[in-house]
């Protein structure tokens, strides 16, 4: 396939930009245009050649169109390309006031100062970051660590691919009759193995035919039974979302022997977010998957052991040695202390068309960060609880119209009266009852929804710019023993939230400590937590001193 394109658009600076981007010429096809209209011609030509644009760069001063409108039109043709303004220094400040607000609304990805000399690594650092993000989330990986051979779209192949990609292993799937597929199958034939789909090759390992995601996890990362049966580790962290990963980095770096047990791939809910924009230190945002991979690599540097694909089924107190026993189907692990970081699972709508557009107009769980992108749009909020009501009110500050959709005949049973009153007085918010979103789609971004009237069964299509799903979330807590106190919804109680009856000597447990000695809880699983990446990772870091004091009182 042809190299992806970097399209440099400027009436006055396109030659300068071409020279400046020369360092990317080996891996990307550099093209220029002098106006917004010419850029569209180039885009159409690139698409006709079977290639795509990875990055648009413009100087914010196009002769024929407002720069943000130009991005809007280019985005319609290539929704996945990253978009950058490289402002010439003489216009940088003047343009900034007008163009920077577009960043907050997600109209483009970065506002940079055009390089003023050679080796402007600050500028190129930002460009490389955007290209790397494009490469890991959009493009087919050029460098593959995992080759899967399978007929297209089988559920097991898809599940394995999702697992390996979320674990940071670039993966490509080839049909059995392709040359790449045949190469793997020939190698498999030499081992005498039976051919069941998929057959796969992971870098540095023999070809094999896994029958489950866990097979792959075991092949690549091993199982908890690999730990010496007599070993009692200082700390076992259950769950490798942001909270568990932060606890792993700090536990490992503070010298604790640390093991992480994760039921799926690393990253938790954050790992499913295409772009986290509000995490400290990433001004251009970062995909949750990449954030998680970086954290895992950081923890591994400090000696932390990860076992992914192994769900903890039970936590017991070991009677003889006084330590804890974590049970998985791949072996038990003994631990002096345990951090519970198993998070929550947002209830899904269960509609593939919509779930495929999460991060592209569809938002689960929180409306705060995506609200600005709803400026002047028509958005739908699904859910009848207080979180849905608050989200609708917040969204109405940005969107032209907000429609709350619920299956019930009203909000009274599920939402606080003060919110119902506020919604009734808000001219931008409408409530539609007895209806259900059943499908949705769009080109690279959500554009329409199919809504069914639950009384008549009639389905009608409507155009929307955003969908916010606030269907509630269930904590991952079934595996916890009754000795770990929880609230009515199953979230783990810690510190002063623990009922006084369970305090010892009239004192509540420490801040992140549960009712079971040596067991702590952090992140979304904890009752009263903020449900954000930063708060989860903050709690993961803060729990480590408490673990230290538990281990050496
Ligand atoms: C689509 C989406 C987008 C989001 N975007 C943002 C955003 O932009 N900014 C922001 O601040 N927040 C965002 N959030 C919220 C944020 O991701 C969560 O608050 C955060 O991930 C919570 O981290 P956690 O580690 O506590 O739990 P989780 O992320 O839920 O991780 C828990 C982990 O524990 C594992 N686990 C569960 N049970 C077991 C078991 N028995 N044994 C072993 N492992 C187990 C799970 O597989 C999971 O990997 C988003 C959430 C979603 C769903």
């Amino acid at each position: 396939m042809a190299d992806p394109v970097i399209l440099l658009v400027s009436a006055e600076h396109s030659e300068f930009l071409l020279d400046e981007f020369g360092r990317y010429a080996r891996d990307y096809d550099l093209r220029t245009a002098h106006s917004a209209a010419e850029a569209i011609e180039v885009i159409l030509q690139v698409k006709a050649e079977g290639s795509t644009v990875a990055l648009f760069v413009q100087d914010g001063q196009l002769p024929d169109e407002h720069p943000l409108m130009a991005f809007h039109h280019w985005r319609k043709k290539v929704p996945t390309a990253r978009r950058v303004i490289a402002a010439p220094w003489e216009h940088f400040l003047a343009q900034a006031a007008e163009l920077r607000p577009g960043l907050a609304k997600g109209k483009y990805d970065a506002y940079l100062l055009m390089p003023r000399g050679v080796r402007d690594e600050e500028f190129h650092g930002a460009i490389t970051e955007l290209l790397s993000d494009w490469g890991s989330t959009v493009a087919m990986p050029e460098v593959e660590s995992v080759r899967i051979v399978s007929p297209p779209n089988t559920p097991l192949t898809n599940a394995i691919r999702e697992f390996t990609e979320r674990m940071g292993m670039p993966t490509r799937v080839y049909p059995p009759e392709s040359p790449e597929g045949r190469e793997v199958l020939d190698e498999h034939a030499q081992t005498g193995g039976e051919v069941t789909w998929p057959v796969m090759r992971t870098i540095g390992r023999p070809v094999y035919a896994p029958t489950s995601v866990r097979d792959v996890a075991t092949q690549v990362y091993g199982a908890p039974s690999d730990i010496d049966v007599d070993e009692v580790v200082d700390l076992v962290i259950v769950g490798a979302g942001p909270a568990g990963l932060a606890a792993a980095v700090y536990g490992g770096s503070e010298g604790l022997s640390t093991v992480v047990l994760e039921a799926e791939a690393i990253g938790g809910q954050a790992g499913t977010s295409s772009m986290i924009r509000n995490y400290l230190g990433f001004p251009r945002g970062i995909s949750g998957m990449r954030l998680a991979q970086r954290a895992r690599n950081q923890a591994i540097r400090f000696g932390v052991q990860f076992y992914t694909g192994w769900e903890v089924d039970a936590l017991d107190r070991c009677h003889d040695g006084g330590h804890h026993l974590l049970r998985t189907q791949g072996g038990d692990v003994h631990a002096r202390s345990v951090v519970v970081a198993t998070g929550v699972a947002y209830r899904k709508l269960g509609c593939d068309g919509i779930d495929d557009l999460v991060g592209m107009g569809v938002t689960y769980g929180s409306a705060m960060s995506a609200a600005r992108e709803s400026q002047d749009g028509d958005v739908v909020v699904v859910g009848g609880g207080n979180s849905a009501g608050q989200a609708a009110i917040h969204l109405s500050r940005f969107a032209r119209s907000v429609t709350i959709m619920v299956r019930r005949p009203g909000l009274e049973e599920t939402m606080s009266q003060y919110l119902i009153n506020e919604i009734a007085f808000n001219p931008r918010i409408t409530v539609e009852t007895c209806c259900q979103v059943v499908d949705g789609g769009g080109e690279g971004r959500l554009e329409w929804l199919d809504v069914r009237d639950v009384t008549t069964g009639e389905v009608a299509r409507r155009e929307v710019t955003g969908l916010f799903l606030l269907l509630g979330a269930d904590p991952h807590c079934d595996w916890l023993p009754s000795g770990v106190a929880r609230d009515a919804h199953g979230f783990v109680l810690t510190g002063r939230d623990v009922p006084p009856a369970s305090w010892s000597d009239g004192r509540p447990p420490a801040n992140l400590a549960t009712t079971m000695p040596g067991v702590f809880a952090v992140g979304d699983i904890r009752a009263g937590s903020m449900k954000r990446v930063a708060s989860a990772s903050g709690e993961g870091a803060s729990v480590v001193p408490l673990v230290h004091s538990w281990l050496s009182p």
Side-chain angles (χ1 to χ4, degrees):
M1 186 167 154
D3 285 339
V5 168
I6 296 180
L7 180 51
L8 309 162
V9 191
S10 163
E12 286 176 33
H13 301 95
S14 57
E15 291 312 308
F16 172 80
L17 286 171
L18 188 62
D19 183 47
E20 191 58 52
F21 276 74
R23 59 163 80 180
Y24 304 96
R26 199 192 71 167
D27 298 331
Y28 295 88
D29 180 359
L30 304 180
R31 309 262 181 119
T32 55
H34 299 87
S35 65
E38 195 187 335
I40 292 280
E41 282 170 28
V42 177
I43 293 168
L44 294 176
Q45 198 181 329
V46 167
K47 288 177 86 170
E49 290 163 13
S51 187
T52 192
V53 180
L55 179 70
F56 292 114
V57 182
Q58 55 145 311
D59 64 0
Q61 292 192 308
L62 301 176
D64 53 345
E65 198 167 32
H66 188 277
L68 300 189
M69 278 315 287
F71 276 141
H72 176 69
H73 290 132
W74 302 344
R75 182 186 201 159
K76 282 198 150 178
K77 304 273 179 231
V78 194
T80 50
R82 300 298 186 256
R83 291 147 291 149
V84 170
I85 290 180
W89 66 273
E90 64 273 21
H91 302 303
F92 184 74
L93 283 181
Q95 283 181 355
E98 187 196 345
L99 298 179
R100 269 206 176 128
L103 271 179
K105 293 176 193 157
K107 293 187 173 173
Y108 65 106
D109 300 297
Y111 184 71
L112 306 174
L113 179 60
M114 199 178 278
R116 296 175 65 186
V118 292
R119 291 181 286 281
D120 184 341
E121 300 305 340
E122 189 67 21
F123 176 84
H124 288 290
I127 297 292
T128 311
E129 233 176 64
L130 288 162
L131 287 172
S132 151
D133 196 59
W134 176 83
S136 67
T137 53
V138 176
M140 284 291 262
E142 305 281 348
V143 187
E144 66 185 27
S145 304
V146 179
R147 180 177 289 188
I148 301 180
V149 184
S150 163
N153 282 328
T154 69
L156 180 58
T157 299
N158 289 347
I160 291 175
R161 182 188 189 156
E162 189 184 333
F163 175 79
T164 52
E165 288 188 336
R166 284 186 61 188
M167 290 304 294
M169 294 190 286
T171 302
R172 284 190 87 148
V173 180
Y174 294 93
E177 60 282 4
S178 65
E180 294 86 350
R182 277 203 301 272
E183 189 191 313
V184 173
L185 293 180
D186 287 348
E187 205 178 316
H188 188 56
Q190 282 167 23
T191 65
E194 202 185 316
V195 175
T196 53
W197 305 118
V199 176
M200 66 188 283
R201 184 169 67 195
T202 314
I203 207 158
R205 290 186 170 78
V207 169
Y208 63 112
T211 55
S212 65
V213 174
R214 181 166 284 172
D215 260 4
V216 179
T218 313
Q219 273 277 342
V220 184
Y221 302 106
S225 56
D226 295 346
I227 300 172
D228 191 330
V229 281
D230 295 328
E231 187 177 346
V232 182
V233 294
D234 290 333
L235 170 62
V236 166
I237 298 161
V238 188
L245 287 166
V249 168
Y250 283 84
S253 67
E254 298 295 324
L256 301 176
S257 58
T258 305
V259 168
V260 180
L261 300 173
E262 163 58 54
E264 299 173 10
I266 54 158
Q269 299 162 68
T272 67
S273 163
S274 59
M275 189 56 79
I276 295 171
R277 293 193 190 277
N278 59 353
Y279 189 61
L280 188 76
F282 294 90
R284 285 174 284 281
I286 181 163
S287 85
M289 199 170 77
R290 279 154 58 74
L291 183 67
Q293 285 159 12
R294 288 180 184 206
R296 172 173 167 269
N297 291 341
Q298 203 173 357
I300 287 173
R301 279 194 58 184
F302 292 119
V304 175
Q305 286 170 276
F306 281 82
Y307 293 99
T308 42
W310 297 103
E311 182 169 2
V312 174
D313 298 322
L315 163 64
D316 296 326
R317 193 122 175 102
C318 219
H319 296 299
D320 48 354
H323 53 261
H324 305 282
L325 192 60
L326 293 123
R327 298 192 185 277
T328 79
Q329 286 177 20
D332 298 344
V333 185
H334 299 256
R336 290 187 185 86
S337 64
V338 176
V339 167
V340 177
T342 45
V344 302
Y346 281 103
R347 281 176 217 134
K348 291 277 173 149
L349 201 61
C351 162
D352 290 346
I354 288 175
D355 287 341
D356 286 349
L357 292 172
V358 168
M360 289 167 285
V362 176
T363 306
Y364 270 104
S366 156
M368 297 304 283
S369 41
R372 284 173 194 281
E373 287 176 28
S374 310
Q375 187 87 39
D376 303 327
D378 299 304
V379 304
V380 167
V381 174
V382 178
N386 280 356
S387 54
Q390 284 166 7
I393 290 164
H394 181 64
L395 285 163
S396 70
R397 299 182 184 116
F398 302 90
R400 182 173 55 189
S401 77
V402 181
T403 308
I404 300 178
M405 291 190 182
V406 281
R407 258 190 294 190
R408 290 169 187 258
L411 297 173
E412 287 71 18
E413 277 180 45
T414 50
M415 197 180 285
S416 298
Q417 193 57 43
Y418 81 96
L419 283 171
I420 295 176
N421 295 346
E422 210 172 323
I423 285 165
F425 282 107
N426 190 318
R428 289 194 183 183
I429 307 180
T430 325
V431 181
E432 286 186 24
T433 56
C434 302
C435 62
Q436 187 184 8
V437 172
V438 289
D439 201 1
E443 233 185 282
R445 214 188 142 74
L446 181 77
E447 288 167 350
W448 55 264
L449 291 177
D450 278 349
V451 181
R452 186 169 63 197
D453 181 324
V454 293
T455 22
T456 63
E458 219 171 273
V459 175
R461 182 161 292 192
R462 65 173 69 190
E463 286 183 13
V464 295
T465 56
L467 173 67
F468 294 83
L469 296 156
L470 291 114
L471 310 171
D474 297 317
H476 283 134
C477 63
D478 299 349
W479 61 283
L480 286 168
S482 56
V484 175
R486 280 161 268 163
D487 71 9
H489 304 285
F491 290 95
V492 176
L493 295 166
T494 54
R496 297 195 75 84
D497 290 339
V498 165
S502 305
W503 295 8
S504 70
D505 302 332
R507 282 205 315 235
N511 216 4
L512 301 169
T514 70
T515 41
M516 186 177 257
V519 177
F520 303 83
V522 292
D524 282 15
I525 186 75
R526 203 176 62 77
S529 65
M530 189 190 165
K531 315 273 184 289
R532 292 286 182 284
V533 176
S535 51
S537 46
E539 290 182 12
S542 319
V543 79
V544 170
L546 302 175
V547 170
H548 260 297
S549 358
W550 161 255
L551 294 175
S552 11

